[in-house]
Amino acid sequence: MFDFYRKEIDWGGRKLVLETGKIARQADGAVMVSYGDTIVLCTAVGARNVKPGQDFFPLTVNYQEKAFAAGKIPGGFFKREGRPSEAEILNSRLIDRPIRPLFPDNFRNEVQVVATVLSHDLENDPAIVAMIGCSAALTLSGIPFFGPIAGCRVGYENGQYLLNPTLAETKTSQLDLVLAGTTEGVLMVESEASELTEEVMLGAVTFGHEAFQPVIQAIIELAEHAAKTPWTLAEPDAELVSLHSRIDALGRASIAEAYQERVKQARYEKVGAAKKQVIEALKAEGLDADKAKPLLKELEADIVRGAVLDTGLRIDGRDLRTVRPIVAEVGILPRAHGSSLFTRGETQALVVTTLGTGQDEQVIDALEGEYRSNFMLHYNFPPYSVGEAGRMGSPGRREIGHGKLAWRAIHPLLPGKEAFPYTLRVVSEITESNGSSSMATVCGTSLALMDAGVPLKRPVAGIAMGLIKEDRGYAVLSDILGDEDHLGDMDFKVAGTEAGITSLQMDIKITSITPAIMQVALEQAREGRIHILGEMAKALTENRSGVSATAPKITVINVPKEKLRDIIGTGGKVIREIVETTGCKIDINDDGTVKIAASSDEQAQKAIDRIRGIVAEPEIGVIYTGKVVKVADFGAFVNFLGARDGLVHISELAQGRVNKTADVVSMGDAVKVKVLGFDDRGKVKLSMRVVDQATGADISESVGSKGRERRPDDAA
C-alpha cells in the first residue's frame, strides 16, 4: 500500500531520519523528518498552470507548531491553534529565504510549502528540522528547484563551535547562528552574538556550511529512490527574446541617463518617464507591451550593475565604501521616556523607548513552555515612508522580521533585570526609507534607550551591505540604497559595537557567495559601523544618569520568603490595600524580591514602609509609633509595626495609677510605645509609661518603678 523510503544518518551525535511515501501522499512532495524526538512533516505543492497576468513568483512558506507536539492544550477560549505566533512567522521566513533564489527566474507557478511540527522533545530545534524537510520535499516533488539545501544552528562557547546546540546549550552560548546553503555555498545567515569578532563569525559560517553537507547528500540519496518526474519547463519564448532586444535598443540610453539623477523621488520620476516612452514606442510598433515590465526591470538591473562594476560609482554618486550623511538626535519627544531621530541619507527612523514594570512584561506561550520577556521592539513601516498611499493594518512578516533583527542586535547589550528592573518597549516608526530601515532602527534604538537612562554596555550601530557579482568581477557596496538592494545580489546586514558583532543577517539572490566575498563584506561593514558610531556619538555617547522624570521609579527590596504570604494577605487583601493607598505598582517574586514602581519617591517610600513594617520583627527596647486599635479594661492594643499588634497593660499606660484605660487612650489615638518583651504565647508586651509621648524619648531610667502601683489585675 505504501511506497515507503527511509534515509538515516548520524549528524551531530544524533540520528537524523528522512521518510517519505507513507504520509501526505497526495502532495507533490512530502517528507517526515525526525531529529531526536523532534518530528516535522514537510510538504510541497505546486500549481501546474500559471495564473493569467502573473508576473512574479508566488511562493508561500507556512511553518506551524501544533500544541500537541509538546503535550499541551492551546490556551484561549477556542482551545485550538489560531493565527501564527511571532516565532512561527520568523521560522517561516527562515525557510523561505534560502529556497526562494533556487527556482528558475521565469518560473511563475504558485508553490506552497508547509512545515508542521508534530513532536518537540524540547531539546532539538524544530526550525532546523523543518528547513531540511522542506528542502527534501521540494527536491522530491518534481517542481523545478535548484536544490537541495540544508541548514544548521551554530553555537560558540569556550572558543569552540557547537553544531545544533540544544535549547539549554543555546542559553549559555555566546552565539546563536542559523545558516542555510547548498553544496556550493551559503545562501542565508541569521544570528545573535555577544560582541564577537569578524573572524569568529566567518568561522562559524564556514563551520556550519561544512557541517550540513552530509544532510544535503542524504537528501540526494533519498531523491534517487523517491523523486517524482521533473516538470517540463516551457521553452524560452522567441517573442520575448526579440522583445528584450528591442527594449534594450529603445530604452538603454534614456534609462541610463535617468539613473544619473541623485535624488530618489526625482530619479523615480525620470526612470518612470523613460520606461513609459519605451512602452509607447512598443505599442506604436505593434509589439506586446504587456510583456515588457519584467524585461524593463532586467534592463534597469543591467544598467545599474554595469555602472558600478565599470566606474566604481553608484546611483547616488558615492564610491563603494562611503556611508551617506548621518544626523542623530535624541530627546525630541518631551513626554516620552526616551526618544531619538536617526537620519541616514533618505532613510529615517523615529524611535521611542517606554519604561514599564514587571506587570508590563510580554507573556509568551511557546512549545518549550511559557516565559516572560522584558524587552520588546516593534518596527512599523507605513506606506508614506516611501511616498506611497497604501493599506495600513497589523504588522506583516517583513515588519516582524525586521523588528526581530534589530532586537537581536540590541539584546546582548542590555543590562540584567537585577541591575535595571524595568520592562522595555521600543517602537521604531520608519518615516523615510531608501536603504536599510532595519539598521536605522538599530542605531535609533541604541540612542533612544540611552536617552531613557537604560545602561547599555556600549552603543550599537548597524549597516547594510550589498553585492554586485558578474563573471567579470564583483563589488561590495556599503550602506546600500533601496534600488541597490532590489537590483543587487546580496543583502548583508551587520550590527554591533566598537568591540564586536551582535547580529548578522545575510540573504543571497544568487546560488552562493564565497568566503572571500564574505570576508570583504565583513571588513567593509566594520569600517562603516565604526563611522556610524562616531556620528551617533555627536548626539549621545552613553546612557543618561537617571531615568526620565515621567518614567516610573522602581525600587527593589528583598524580604524573607516566608514573609511573602503576610505581604500578600488572604486572597491578596493586604497587597491590594497597599497598592490602593500608596498608588504604586508592586511585583512580588517567589525568591523574596519585591519591586515597587511609583511616580514619585514619596509614594515609593510609603509602600516600602508598609512592606517593611509587615516583614519586620519587633525588637526589645526599641520605641515605635503606633495606633490604638482596641481598648479593654486591662489595657490597650496598639498596632505598631505593620500588621503587628501589642498589648499596653493598664499598668504601663502612664505614670501613676490609672483607674480606667479610657482615661488615657481612645480608639485611633497615635501613641509611642516601647517593646518590653514577649509573653509565653509570643505576644508583644508594650509600654507607654516609659516613653515621652511628646518627644518619643526613652524615659525608663528616670521613671524606674516610681509612679507605678501594683494592681490586683496586673497578671491579667
Side-chain angles (χ1 to χ4, degrees):
M1 181 176 182
F2 300 116
D3 194 9
F4 181 74
Y5 296 94
R6 185 177 191 271
K7 180 64 182 177
E8 177 182 319
I9 63 171
D10 184 80
W11 188 43
R14 283 151 281 178
K15 286 184 179 180
L16 177 70
V17 181
L18 293 84
E19 299 175 336
T20 188
K22 186 175 182 180
I23 297 178
R25 292 172 295 162
Q26 295 186 48
D28 289 324
V31 179
M32 184 91 79
V33 185
S34 61
Y35 193 48
D37 283 339
T38 294
I39 302 174
V40 184
L41 172 64
C42 302
T43 62
V45 175
R48 291 286 177 170
N49 299 308
V50 181
K51 292 181 180 178
Q54 185 77 47
D55 60 357
F56 66 94
F57 173 40
L59 170 66
T60 305
V61 176
N62 296 103
Y63 169 94
Q64 53 186 7
E65 296 178 337
K66 299 299 182 180
F68 60 71
K72 299 172 62 176
I73 295 175
F77 181 79
F78 294 104
K79 297 298 179 184
R80 68 177 298 165
E81 290 80 6
R83 60 183 296 179
S85 66
E86 182 176 289
E88 289 173 309
I89 291 171
L90 293 172
N91 286 335
S92 296
R93 285 172 53 86
L94 210 61
I95 299 166
D96 182 298
R97 285 156 49 196
I99 66 174
R100 186 174 289 272
L102 298 181
F103 291 88
D105 290 338
N106 60 345
F107 189 63
R108 297 292 183 267
N109 301 58
E110 183 176 3
V111 174
Q112 183 179 41
V113 178
V114 179
T116 307
V117 180
L118 303 178
S119 176
H120 189 6
D121 59 11
L122 307 184
E123 288 189 3
N124 297 296
D125 182 14
I128 298 300
V129 181
M131 183 184 295
I132 293 168
C134 291
S135 169
L138 284 167
T139 303
L140 300 184
S141 68
I143 297 170
F145 174 65
F146 302 141
I149 67 158
C152 68
R153 188 176 292 272
V154 178
Y156 185 73
E157 194 166 8
N158 299 322
Q160 299 293 321
Y161 294 114
L162 308 174
L163 174 60
N164 294 328
T166 64
L167 297 180
E169 289 172 333
T170 301
K171 293 178 181 178
T172 60
S173 174
Q174 295 174 268
L175 172 67
D176 183 15
L177 181 144
V178 176
L179 75 158
T182 63
T183 55
E184 296 179 356
V186 177
L187 289 166
M188 183 277 296
V189 177
E190 184 84 33
S191 66
E192 178 182 335
S194 299
E195 295 182 286
L196 298 178
T197 65
E198 282 75 11
E199 291 75 18
V200 172
M201 296 297 290
L202 184 57
V205 174
T206 303
F207 171 83
H209 181 247
E210 293 174 354
F212 62 59
Q213 294 307 311
V215 179
I216 293 178
Q217 187 59 36
I219 296 173
I220 292 173
E221 292 176 9
L222 184 70
E224 289 174 350
H225 295 284
K228 295 181 179 179
T229 303
W231 290 14
T232 301
L233 291 176
E235 292 295 326
D237 190 338
E239 182 184 352
L240 281 180
V241 175
S242 174
L243 186 61
H244 188 284
S245 175
R246 188 60 186 143
I247 287 173
D248 190 285
L250 289 170
R252 179 172 288 273
S254 59
I255 293 176
E257 182 181 353
Y259 267 105
Q260 298 300 310
E261 173 61 54
R262 305 306 187 202
V263 180
K264 175 185 173 182
Q265 294 298 335
R267 180 170 64 250
Y268 279 9
E269 290 180 6
K270 290 184 177 180
V271 171
K275 289 161 69 174
K276 185 177 180 180
Q277 288 179 355
V278 172
I279 297 295
E280 294 299 326
L282 292 174
K283 290 180 178 178
E285 295 178 12
L287 298 174
D288 189 349
D290 293 335
K291 296 182 179 179
K293 184 176 179 181
L295 300 180
L296 281 168
K297 186 175 181 180
E298 290 179 18
L299 177 60
E300 284 184 76
D302 186 58
I303 290 170
V304 172
R305 293 162 64 90
V308 172
L309 292 175
D310 294 339
T311 68
L313 296 178
R314 296 152 66 181
I315 297 172
D316 58 357
R318 285 181 292 150
D319 61 24
L320 303 182
R321 306 174 84 96
T322 299
V323 177
R324 288 170 291 175
I326 291 172
V327 178
E329 304 168 70
V330 295
I332 61 172
L333 300 179
R335 296 296 296 175
H337 300 160
S339 59
S340 70
L341 184 67
F342 181 84
T343 307
R344 185 192 63 240
E346 296 168 306
T347 297
Q348 186 179 75
L350 172 64
V351 187
V352 184
T353 294
T354 305
L355 304 181
T357 69
Q359 297 177 20
D360 298 310
E361 290 182 341
Q362 184 178 18
V363 180
I364 299 173
D365 185 14
L367 286 184
E368 297 82 10
E370 184 177 287
Y371 65 94
R372 292 175 174 268
S373 173
N374 72 327
F375 175 43
M376 296 161 278
L377 197 157
H378 298 146
Y379 165 103
N380 297 312
F381 193 89
Y384 66 75
S385 65
V386 288
E388 296 178 356
R391 177 182 176 275
M392 296 185 65
S394 57
R397 289 189 173 193
R398 178 182 178 277
E399 289 173 299
I400 291 172
H402 279 40
K404 190 63 175 182
L405 173 60
W407 185 97
R408 289 191 181 101
I410 297 293
H411 183 248
L413 282 303
L414 291 175
K417 289 184 181 181
E418 300 77 15
F420 196 72
Y422 287 88
T423 295
L424 309 174
R425 183 188 183 228
V426 175
V427 178
S428 175
E429 297 288 340
I430 303 304
T431 50
E432 295 181 30
S433 181
N434 183 18
S436 179
S437 54
S438 62
M439 294 297 96
T441 295
V442 170
C443 301
T445 298
S446 178
L447 291 168
L449 286 169
M450 292 191 296
D451 185 50
V454 179
L456 286 182
K457 294 177 186 177
R458 276 172 288 275
V460 189
I463 186 170
M465 313 296 294
L467 173 70
I468 304 295
K469 184 174 182 287
E470 298 286 356
D471 292 340
R472 67 180 190 270
Y474 71 87
V476 176
L477 317 179
S478 295
D479 180 26
I480 55 175
L481 301 171
D483 287 336
E484 292 169 338
D485 183 10
H486 299 149
L487 304 177
D489 298 319
M490 176 180 75
D491 185 8
F492 191 89
K493 297 172 182 174
V494 186
T497 68
E498 61 182 11
I501 294 172
T502 58
S503 183
L504 186 154
Q505 184 187 83
M506 182 181 75
D507 291 304
I508 303 298
K509 301 173 187 175
I510 53 181
T511 54
S512 65
I513 64 169
T514 64
I517 294 177
M518 284 191 65
Q519 188 170 10
V520 171
L522 282 169
E523 182 54 39
Q524 214 165 300
R526 183 182 183 280
E527 176 186 298
R529 185 173 80 244
I530 298 301
H531 168 74
I532 295 170
L533 285 168
E535 295 299 303
M536 290 166 56
K538 295 177 182 179
L540 201 59
T541 57
E542 61 183 14
N543 61 284
R544 301 197 185 278
S545 57
V547 299
S548 166
T550 58
K553 309 297 185 296
I554 297 183
T555 305
V556 181
I557 62 174
N558 292 289
V559 302
K561 289 188 286 187
E562 60 271 15
K563 294 288 185 180
L564 292 179
R565 66 174 59 190
D566 297 328
I567 299 173
I568 297 171
T570 305
K573 178 180 178 182
V574 175
I575 193 67
R576 283 198 303 270
E577 193 269 334
I578 296 174
V579 169
E580 290 171 0
T581 56
T582 63
C584 298
K585 288 184 177 180
I586 301 175
D587 296 322
I588 300 176
N589 296 332
D590 293 340
D591 63 357
T593 302
V594 180
K595 298 177 183 178
I596 300 158
S599 58
S600 68
D601 293 336
E602 182 182 357
Q603 281 184 319
Q605 193 58 50
K606 285 181 181 179
I608 292 169
D609 291 343
R610 290 289 304 276
I611 292 171
R612 284 181 172 161
I614 293 171
V615 303
E617 293 291 340
E619 299 180 42
I620 296 176
V622 175
I623 295 172
Y624 299 90
T625 299
K627 183 171 72 172
V628 177
V629 293
K630 183 178 180 181
V631 175
D633 292 340
F634 53 83
F637 289 92
V638 176
N639 174 239
F640 70 98
L641 186 62
R644 184 65 69 93
D645 295 344
L647 173 65
V648 180
H649 190 267
I650 192 171
S651 62
E652 293 292 340
L653 285 172
Q655 300 176 34
R657 181 180 177 84
V658 176
N659 293 318
K660 293 175 60 178
T661 303
D663 292 341
V664 180
V665 294
S666 301
M667 283 280 290
D669 285 352
V671 297
K672 295 178 175 60
V673 295
K674 180 179 179 179
V675 177
L676 299 179
F678 304 88
D679 64 17
D680 54 4
R681 295 178 297 172
K683 303 296 184 182
V684 184
K685 296 188 292 185
L686 305 173
S687 174
M688 292 171 54
R689 182 177 67 86
V690 296
V691 182
D692 187 322
Q693 294 298 307
T695 65
D698 188 342
I699 57 173
S700 56
E701 292 185 4
S702 60
V703 172
S705 60
K706 293 186 294 181
R708 175 179 176 184
E709 299 180 17
R710 182 166 180 83
R711 299 171 56 88
D713 56 355
D714 272 0

